[in-house]
Amino acid sequence: MASTTVTIRPVTEADWREVRTLRLEMLRDTPIAFGETLATAENHPEAEWRLRGRRGTDEGSASFAAIDESTGSWVGTMGGYLPKTGFPLLVGVYVAPSHRGRAAGVTDALLDAVEAWAKGHANAMALHVHEDNARAIRYYAGRGFTETGRKLPYELAPHGFENEMIKAL
């Protein structure tokens, strides 16, 4: 990737078109990672996309976008929410292939934003990652997340389990 500047900012309802475009890209790229099928996402009405955009400004959740300043393109997203019990949960993690890797810094910048949000709510953060998503598991481990040993059933094909990981903040 050529050196670019990326802005990390909260997502808003007005961003619903970009949220939709990036979500569909995410599902095409790594369908096992998001608990939703491409076919389902393609059929959501505008109201659903607006709701997803509001997650960046709603109480109890966070959603951030990484925007390449040279093109205005959305190249990544990451969010979190407060479940009824437990720690803030990291969700919706995606960085476009063109902006992946430690050198690019996009994933780290997004995770820094979500961690800063989570620190306002708890002293740790959790995530669930499909057991077959080795790239993501390695990344999270490198950022200080450890597996708890808890496994949750993954409801979409090809099934399997999601590993729970946690990190002290």
Side-chain angles (χ1 to χ4, degrees), residues 10 13 17 28 30 37 46 86 94 106-107 136 139 149 164 167:
E13 181 177 353
R17 288 175 187 86
R28 284 184 197 100
T30 318
T37 66
E46 180 180 322
Y94 177 74
V106 176
T107 311
Y139 173 75
E164 180 180 71
K167 176 183 181 178

Side-chain angles (χ1 to χ4, degrees), residues 21-96:
T21 298
L22 195 59
R23 180 66 174 191
L24 298 179
E25 178 182 325
M26 294 161 64
L27 291 166
R28 284 184 197 100
D29 181 76
T30 318
I32 200 169
F34 302 106
E36 176 178 46
T37 66
L38 178 60
T40 298
E42 288 174 328
N43 287 307
H44 288 316
E46 180 180 322
E48 172 65 19
W49 297 112
R50 287 182 175 278
L51 174 83
R52 290 180 184 208
R54 282 195 304 273
R55 289 178 182 161
T57 56
D58 280 350
E59 189 173 323
S61 67
S63 183
F64 296 94
I67 304 166
D68 185 322
E69 290 184 9
S70 66
T71 64
S73 299
W74 283 38
V75 297
T77 187
M78 200 174 291
Y81 76 95
L82 301 175
K84 292 184 193 293
T85 61
F87 298 110
L89 193 64
L90 179 68
V91 294
V93 175
Y94 177 74
V95 174

